[in-house]
Amino acid sequence: MNQGILGKMGMDSKMALGYLGVLIFMMGDGLELGWLSSYLTDNGLTVQQSALLFSVYGFAVAIAAWLSGVLAEVLGPRKAMMIGVTLFVLGTFVFLTIGIPTMNLAVMIPTYSLRGLGYPLFAYSFLVWITYYAPSDKLGTAVGWFWVAFAGGLNVLGAYYSSFALPILGEMKTLWSALIFVALGATIAILLNKEDNSSQKKFKTKADALKYIAKGITIAFEKPKVGLGGIVRTINTAGAYGFVVFLPAYMMEIGFTRTEWLQIYGALWSSNVIFNLIWGIVGDKLGWRNTIMWFGGIGCAVFTAGLYYVPSVMGPNYVATTVVAICFGACLAAYVPLSALIPSLAPENKGAAMSILNLGAGLSQFIGPVIVGAFIASVDTVGIIWIFTGLYLFSSFLMIFVSLPKHDNEVHTADPVELKAAQ
């Protein structure tokens, strides 16, 4: 009965525990996102030092995101995920026992970055596992469920948990409690989730394995459409990571309270979590590329501009601005089918293709704030909004060239809608 229900929802019962494990793990990883920076600056770090810490962390995330795809192929997803958990636990332990108590950047930067290496290896290796396991006609839905679990844990449940835990436990004990979620999520996703041996690629020698790791870069040139997909993925969440740097100050200048802005921001990500699944299902029906191009690129461009102009024109109108934020979060999720489309462009090297996509996901966390830092002084808030609006339009344009094969012998890799067009 349960298997039938899960099947109708696009989630195979053998992978369901993996999704749950990712959700719980990401709660542990994301519980400090909304407050750690301010806590560190209140306890000895300058704003510049805090920014440096998070910038290096973002770079570590990008590197690990890239490695996750090829390591999942070389070692198998399960082992790659275990490496991620180990790095996360080690980094957290030293960061909390030595780094924060001493406020010594020489300790804090490498240990917090070790955490940054850990979570992509865990989460994105599971995403590679999904791309091998899920049938092609349900792949968009399957990756949609992944992003529901990922974003739901990282951006929603982790934040809500902190809002309740901080008054009771305090900052340090709340940070330590992350290890409980990480351990529980890892146990469920790695040990209890059913093994699928077909997801593992065997390499006879170390040289073969190293050659495949290199393919995690070269495939972007061998198959330019994969490289374009990586660029689109970078643009996808660059805006969202950039917004947190300057939008709160702008919203409060308009007249919103801090609480109202946090509620608007929470509505954005809650919408994103819901639509991660919806767009996965829509993509399987309407076409992966069509969904990304029209609802993702064009939609994000429209509502990025809306996040500036609606409160600018209407003032601190809570309802109207919240609606725009919800729409932006929904359109941000419309890029979800990329995780189905890109590996389908390289069916013989899905792990390498996913490495490019995961690299884009990691780079967005680094590039979004960099764009703000580089241009905010010269172009002000409205200029930054138009830079991100232009980038979203550019991503939609790039998707014109990311088409799937329609040949009869490649029909199993094709986008559902493009399949029909080819027949």
Side-chain angles (χ1 to χ4, degrees):
M1 179 69 178
N2 289 337
Q3 184 172 355
I5 293 174
L6 289 171
K8 290 178 182 178
M9 295 172 67
M11 181 191 295
D12 191 286
S13 62
K14 291 182 179 179
M15 299 298 283
L17 286 175
Y19 290 111
L20 177 61
V22 169
L23 174 74
I24 296 172
F25 183 100
M26 295 311 298
M27 279 184 67
D29 177 72
L31 59 83
E32 85 277 7
L33 288 182
W35 56 270
L36 181 59
S37 179
S38 60
Y39 172 73
L40 295 177
T41 54
D42 288 343
N43 286 274
L45 292 190
T46 66
V47 174
Q48 291 80 6
Q49 288 173 325
S50 178
L52 176 62
L53 176 69
F54 286 99
S55 295
V56 177
Y57 172 84
F59 184 74
V61 168
I63 296 299
W66 167 69
L67 281 173
S68 62
V70 289
L71 285 182
E73 290 250 25
V74 172
L75 303 175
R78 189 183 298 274
K79 289 182 180 178
M81 292 168 73
M82 290 178 70
I83 292 173
V85 174
T86 302
L87 292 175
F88 186 95
V89 171
L90 287 175
T92 299
F93 184 80
V94 182
F95 182 69
L96 296 184
T97 54
I98 302 176
I100 289 184
T102 63
M103 286 292 166
N104 185 339
L105 278 182
V107 177
M108 297 175 73
I109 288 176
T111 54
Y112 196 59
S113 296
L114 207 57
R115 268 174 128 254
L117 290 174
Y119 96 73
L121 284 175
F122 177 84
Y124 295 149
S125 293
F126 181 70
L127 179 57
V128 174
W129 196 346
I130 292 169
T131 64
Y132 274 102
Y133 190 82
S136 59
D137 62 334
K138 296 290 185 181
L139 188 53
T141 306
V143 298
W145 274 113
F146 168 81
W147 290 112
V148 166
F150 182 93
L154 181 67
N155 296 306
V156 180
L157 295 182
Y160 278 118
Y161 166 75
S162 282
S163 70
F164 294 110
L166 285 171
I168 299 171
L169 301 178
E171 288 86 358
M172 288 302 292
K173 288 182 180 178
T174 298
L175 288 170
W176 276 112
S177 70
L179 293 179
I180 299 173
F181 292 104
V182 166
L184 180 60
T187 299
I188 294 172
I190 299 174
L191 300 181
L192 300 183
N193 197 44
K194 300 297 183 181
E195 179 79 56
D196 178 42
N197 292 325
S198 67
S199 67
Q200 297 190 23
K201 197 177 185 78
K202 305 299 182 182
F203 295 89
K204 294 180 180 179
T205 67
K206 289 183 179 179
D208 289 339
L210 290 172
K211 184 178 179 181
Y212 192 81
I213 289 174
K215 187 169 281 292
I217 289 294
T218 60
I219 195 168
F221 302 96
E222 295 168 5
K223 294 182 178 291
K225 292 178 183 179
V226 172
L228 291 177
I231 295 172
V232 171
R233 180 63 185 89
T234 302
I235 294 170
N236 174 198
T237 45
Y241 287 119
F243 288 164
V244 298
V245 179
F246 73 99
L247 263 188
Y250 170 71
M251 291 296 181
M252 282 178 270
E253 284 176 12
I254 291 292
F256 289 103
T257 66
R258 187 181 301 273
T259 299
E260 286 174 331
W261 160 247
L262 289 174
Q263 290 173 348
I264 291 168
Y265 188 68
L268 186 160
W269 284 110
S270 297
S271 165
N272 178 260
V273 169
I274 295 168
F275 276 88
N276 277 331
L277 178 59
I278 292 174
W279 291 125
I281 297 170
V282 170
D284 285 338
K285 304 295 184 183
L286 183 64
W288 298 331
R289 184 176 62 161
N290 291 337
T291 302
I292 298 162
M293 186 186 307
W294 294 107
F295 296 103
I298 302 297
C300 280
V302 170
F303 293 109
T304 293
L307 281 171
Y308 176 83
Y309 286 103
V310 167
S312 177
V313 172
M314 301 181 69
N317 188 312
Y318 178 79
V319 173
T321 306
T322 300
V323 169
V324 174
I326 288 171
C327 291
F328 176 79
C331 292
L332 199 67
Y335 287 85
V336 155
L338 273 172
S339 298
L341 189 155
I342 299 306
S344 297
L345 291 168
E348 72 287 355
N349 288 301
K350 288 186 177 182
M354 285 302 296
S355 282
I356 296 297
L357 197 63
N358 294 342
L359 175 62
L363 283 175
S364 69
Q365 193 166 341
F366 174 72
I367 288 175
V370 166
I371 289 174
V372 177
F375 295 104
I376 190 74
S378 57
V379 300
D380 206 6
T381 299
V382 66
I384 296 295
I385 286 290
W386 278 106
I387 288 173
F388 284 123
T389 298
L391 284 173
Y392 283 123
L393 292 173
F394 181 59
S395 75
S396 185
F397 171 75
L398 289 180
M399 287 307 302
I400 295 172
F401 306 100
V402 187
S403 58
L404 283 158
K406 298 180 181 179
H407 305 299
D408 291 338
N409 65 342
E410 295 174 315
V411 101
H412 64 286
T413 70
D415 182 313
V417 169
E418 294 191 8
L419 251 175
K420 293 178 182 178
Q423 291 172 346

